[in-house]
């Protein structure tokens, strides 16, 4: 087990106590069977709706958190998988939290200097954007955060499955820019083995096209990786991106 709040620096997130196991299989998107070190097999919640290509190999070491909540059907949550070149964060709830913490801690140069950092803010009639930044001396800024775990030979790509919802977010950000707001699309690579990023046009060409369109229309593109270990996760360094890598 690992993870204590006291050992985690400002702007980072500590894991709850982690339980080691071996992945048997992931199925129905949100379920994963895991063999614990004591031999028991448990079914864990997989908080990731993507395909999880390149980070869900059976037989890999994984780490779960345990939640003794009587309202929960599944007591375990899958948090990490140990891949050959990096630990990988599975939980898609982490990127929004981590990015907001990092902004508040002044760790993202491009988004530094805002007095207020709010999460899950309504934008328009039927949508919410992950982070909203305000300050008296500058334009308000909307930041949409996406979790990236698909990495091959150092190239991180997003998405790992067709995402109509992601495409709608890009359209919403463009509308907000036209209304006078600053907007940023923030890709968090939740692993440590990527040195470049590109939209995954081979999986979702419409998303790649709309991302390039958003960039042309004033939506800023930011890509960062993380430092991740069994104590916690913190923001890493900016990652070079090429929006036309596959075009």
């Amino acid at each position: 087990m690992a993870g204590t709040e006291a050992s985690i620096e400002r702007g980072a997130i500590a894991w709850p106590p982690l339980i080691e196991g071996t992945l048997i299989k992931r199925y129905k998107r949100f379920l994963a069977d895991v063999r614990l070190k004591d031999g028991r097999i448990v079914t864990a919640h997989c908080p990731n709706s993507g395909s999880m290509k390149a980070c869900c190999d059976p037989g890999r070491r994984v780490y779960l958190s345990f939640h003794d909540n009587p309202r929960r059907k599944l007591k375990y949550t899958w948090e990490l998988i140990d891949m050959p070149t990096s630990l990988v964060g599975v939980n898609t709830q982490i990127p929004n939290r981590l990015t907001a913490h990092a902004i508040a801690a002044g760790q993202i140069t491009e988004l530094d200097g805002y007095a207020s950092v709010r999460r899950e803010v309504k934008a328009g009639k039927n949508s919410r954007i992950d982070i909203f930044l305000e300050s008296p001396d500058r334009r308000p800024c909307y930041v949409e955060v996406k979790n990236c775990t698909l990495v091959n030979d150092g190239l991180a790509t997003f998405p790992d499955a067709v995402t109509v919802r992601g495409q709608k977010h890009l359209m919403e950000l463009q509308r907000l820019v036209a209304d006078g707001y600053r907007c940023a699309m923030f890709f968090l690579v939740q692993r440590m083995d990527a040195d470049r990023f590109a939209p995954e046009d081979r999986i979702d060409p419409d998303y790649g096209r709309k991302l390039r369109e958003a960039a042309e229309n004033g939506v800023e593109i930011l890509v960062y990786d993380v430092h991740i270990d069994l104590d916690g996760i913190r923001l890493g360094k900016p990652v070079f991106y090429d929006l036309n890598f596959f075009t």
Side-chain angles (χ1 to χ4, degrees):
M1 294 188 180
T4 58
E5 290 286 349
S7 66
I8 295 298
E9 64 190 67
R10 182 169 179 257
I13 294 174
W15 303 122
L18 296 176
I19 302 167
E20 183 180 333
T22 301
L23 181 64
I24 298 174
K25 63 177 179 178
R26 183 232 186 179
Y27 57 103
K28 295 182 179 179
R29 288 202 302 173
F30 300 110
L31 301 175
D33 287 345
V34 175
R35 186 186 302 276
L36 303 183
K37 294 183 75 175
D38 63 8
R40 287 182 298 138
I41 295 176
V42 300
T43 299
H45 171 55
C46 176
N48 192 315
S49 62
S51 71
M52 292 178 58
K53 291 178 181 290
C55 61
C56 64
D57 297 344
R60 292 287 180 195
R61 181 184 296 113
V62 296
Y63 296 91
L64 313 178
S65 57
F66 179 78
H67 307 271
D68 192 16
N69 184 335
R71 295 183 178 181
R72 285 188 53 145
K73 182 178 179 180
L74 299 175
K75 301 298 185 182
Y76 294 89
T77 296
W78 182 7
E79 303 286 355
L80 302 169
I81 184 168
D82 193 356
M83 296 301 292
T85 53
S86 177
L87 282 170
V88 179
V90 168
N91 193 334
T92 57
Q93 296 178 10
I94 294 298
N96 292 4
R97 289 175 55 201
L98 181 61
T99 303
H101 289 346
I103 293 171
Q107 296 171 347
I108 302 176
T109 302
E110 299 92 337
L111 300 175
D112 195 15
Y114 285 91
S116 171
V117 180
R118 290 191 288 146
R119 294 175 56 198
E120 296 294 331
V121 175
K122 188 174 181 179
K125 293 182 179 180
N126 301 308
S127 64
R128 290 182 177 273
I129 302 298
D130 292 322
I131 298 171
F132 185 56
L133 309 176
E134 290 181 289
S135 199
D137 61 344
R138 63 193 66 195
R139 283 187 300 159
C141 180
Y142 285 96
V143 183
E144 180 65 19
V145 182
K146 296 300 181 188
N147 178 59
C148 177
T149 58
L150 179 55
V151 175
N152 287 296
D153 296 326
L155 176 65
T157 55
F158 180 91
D160 65 2
V162 174
T163 172
V164 174
R165 184 168 178 266
Q167 294 173 28
K168 289 180 178 178
H169 283 144
L170 292 173
M171 300 299 291
E172 187 67 36
L173 291 176
Q174 291 179 75
R175 183 190 67 78
L176 290 166
V177 168
D179 287 344
Y181 292 94
R182 182 187 178 195
C183 291
M185 186 72 247
F186 193 98
F187 295 96
L188 187 75
V189 183
Q190 214 182 159
R191 51 194 296 170
M192 300 179 289
D193 52 358
D195 54 28
R196 58 202 189 283
F197 170 87
E200 187 47 90
D201 291 280
R202 298 167 299 181
I203 292 176
D204 191 346
D206 287 337
Y207 186 88
R209 176 177 57 80
K210 289 179 180 177
L211 180 62
R212 287 184 284 275
E213 180 184 272
E216 291 172 359
N217 289 329
V219 177
E220 300 172 39
I221 310 299
L222 302 174
V223 186
Y224 275 73
D225 67 5
V226 299
H227 177 80
I228 188 169
D229 57 29
L230 297 184
D231 289 318
I233 181 170
R234 59 178 169 82
L235 194 73
K237 63 184 183 304
V239 176
F240 170 81
Y241 66 86
D242 181 356
L243 301 187
N244 299 295
F245 186 85
F246 291 111
T247 62

